[in-house]
Amino acid sequence: MKRYEFVEHTADVAVWVYGGSLKELFTSAGLAMFSVLVAKKKNKTKATLKEISFSKKAETLEDLLKAWLDELLFYFSVQRLVLYRIKSFVCNENSLQAKILFDTFDEEHYEAKAEIKAVTYHELKVEKIRNKWRAHIIFDV
């Protein structure tokens, strides 16, 4: 199963993300967002990884997905950290707990692509279809 696919949108970046579980869905959403933000130029011989743990609670899956992506975007925008790997991720329909490994952004190893100003609620949708999850997300660029 593909993790995500970008779709045409007039001004912003729209994406459908997929997963066999909520964990896979949220992972796909994070990977899709970082594919908009950065491209890897080359591997680092010694990555400078930083582990960050956080938890989120929300009323709906849409709110939880947005909170997840907002948190990841914060670490990139403010601390210049790039999603490297998700060490652990526990999620249900109202909360999540995650341990994330981030790499430090540097121009020798990463190329900055588009700037995402915000993850929007516009057309944000999370749905389960025949034991698979999918979500539609629009990034304001």
Side-chain angles (χ1 to χ4, degrees), residues 13 35-38 76 111-116 141:
V13 175
S35 76
V36 172
L37 292 167
V38 297
F76 178 75
E111 174 186 351
K113 291 169 62 179
E115 176 189 356
I116 294 177
V141 293

Side-chain angles (χ1 to χ4, degrees), residues 32-118:
M33 184 173 72
F34 273 89
S35 76
V36 172
L37 292 167
V38 297
K40 195 173 195 175
K41 287 183 186 177
K42 64 180 184 176
N43 289 330
K44 291 184 176 182
T45 53
K46 204 171 200 181
T48 44
L49 301 179
K50 181 175 186 176
E51 182 177 314
I52 297 175
S53 299
F54 59 86
S55 59
K56 296 288 176 187
K57 290 185 179 191
E59 299 266 332
T60 68
L61 273 173
E62 286 80 7
D63 291 335
L64 194 61
L65 179 59
K66 183 176 183 322
W68 159 252
L69 293 172
D70 284 344
E71 190 79 12
L72 295 177
L73 184 58
F74 166 81
Y75 285 111
F76 178 75
S77 300
V78 175
Q79 297 186 18
R80 303 306 285 167
L81 297 174
V82 177
L83 178 64
Y84 183 79
R85 184 167 49 104
I86 298 171
K87 277 185 78 173
S88 69
F89 189 92
V90 178
C91 180
N92 61 40
E93 296 193 10
N94 298 101
S95 66
L96 67 84
Q97 294 177 327
K99 280 187 186 173
I100 311 297
L101 283 178
F102 289 97
D103 191 10
T104 53
F105 178 88
D106 67 67
E107 293 192 6
E108 181 182 347
H109 298 95
Y110 293 101
E111 174 186 351
K113 291 169 62 179
E115 176 189 356
I116 294 177
K117 295 181 231 168

Side-chain angles (χ1 to χ4, degrees), residues 3-7 14-18 125 127 134-136:
R3 287 190 166 269
Y4 57 86
E5 64 181 324
F6 291 97
V7 291
V15 61
W16 280 102
V17 297
Y18 308 98
K125 178 176 17 176
E127 57 191 353
R134 79 175 186 174
H136 186 256

